[in-house]
Amino acid sequence: METKILSPMELKQAVEFLRDGELVAFPTETVYGLGADATNEAAVKKVYQAKGRPSDNPLIVTVSDVSMVETFAENIPADAKKLMDNFWPGPLTILLKVKPDTLPQVVTGGLDTVAFRNPDHQLTLDLISSLNRPIVGPSANTSTKPSPTSAQHVNHDLNGKIAAIIDGGMTSVGLESTIVDLTVSPYAILRPGEITAEAISRVLEKPVVGGNHVVSAGETPKAPGMKYRHYAPKNDVVIVDSDADFSKIPVNDNQVAVVSLQSVIDRIKPRHSFSLGQDVTSASHHLFEALRYFDEQENIKTIYVQGFSDGDLAEAYMNRLEKSAAGKHFG
Ligand code: TXA
Ligand code: MG
């Protein structure tokens, strides 16, 4: 199959593909998603195939407005409406009880919950409202690869496997959405993102259990995706914590690369480097791009990546980085 790269002007063609049960990758403010008509079982099955994703790992349902949520969820608490009012469109995914028999089982992996997302990206909102149905939206990468933050990343992983990619340029946030579970008490963050537990708790005036939950062996994870290795490039990734001595990194080793703030690169002058910009916000924006960049460089064996401990995005950034590094820290 030929994968078409569509410009924003060619949105109509993307709607046609979705209507025909084909797969279309779409931009969001976080990372690119892989779309299929969420009500078309055969189309949704193709998503698992294209990504190489285990079928017990459910898919997010991407909606263009709150009325679509009402069609597919039941017992929606007033708190869900508050969060939608405050944070939608935006990088917050909300877990609710699914209305039985409204969505194919493959979407939810047989769970009785469904995750709703309303991305802050006009092209994609227009795509969904033109289709007049929600689309599933896992990240548009091959399973276990870093999530894609550009159309080129999607094309690298899925070329020949999907009908089209809508090119909306680089995504702005760069890390996937926060997932909050409103079907449990107290409410719980299943995946940290730009919208923090504190921000949600402030809006609801209720406690919210924070993220970075590590799933232990034998435990049935709340978000099935948490049990799979994620964001894993081919090279060894090592985290350099903010209090570590950067000058001890073997920067002259030809097989070593450093991914860090520009100020650190200027100071330690590594032979191979990728700049994360000036703060944790730009670092989040560039993290997956950096990991993918060195994944393509056969000579690089170890990537040292700067860690962060302060700022709203630090928890989400470290959550993704810990998974790529499988727990390895420098020093
Ligand atoms: O920012 C994002 O959320 C991106 C963009 C494309 O919207 N999407 C994304 O989807 O990150 P995905 O599939 O890569 O990650 C969604 C996570 C998975 O770990 C999955 O297990 C979990 O959400 N999930 C989906 N439905 C769930 C459910 N009903 N219960 C628990 N976890 C669920
Ligand atoms: Mg993903």
Side-chain angles (χ1 to χ4, degrees), residues 73 106 136 155 181 228:
V106 279
V136 292
N155 197 43
D181 185 353
Y228 301 107

Side-chain angles (χ1 to χ4, degrees), residues 28 30-33 53 57-60 93 95 111 113-115 117 137-139 176-177 179 190-191 222-226:
T28 79
T30 59
V31 301
Y32 274 72
R53 179 172 175 128
N57 190 359
L59 305 176
I60 288 177
T93 296
L95 205 70
L111 299 173
T113 55
V114 56
R117 163 136 161 78
S139 49
E176 306 88 343
S177 62
I179 304 179
L190 301 183
R191 178 175 70 185
K222 277 296 291 180
M226 293 193 300

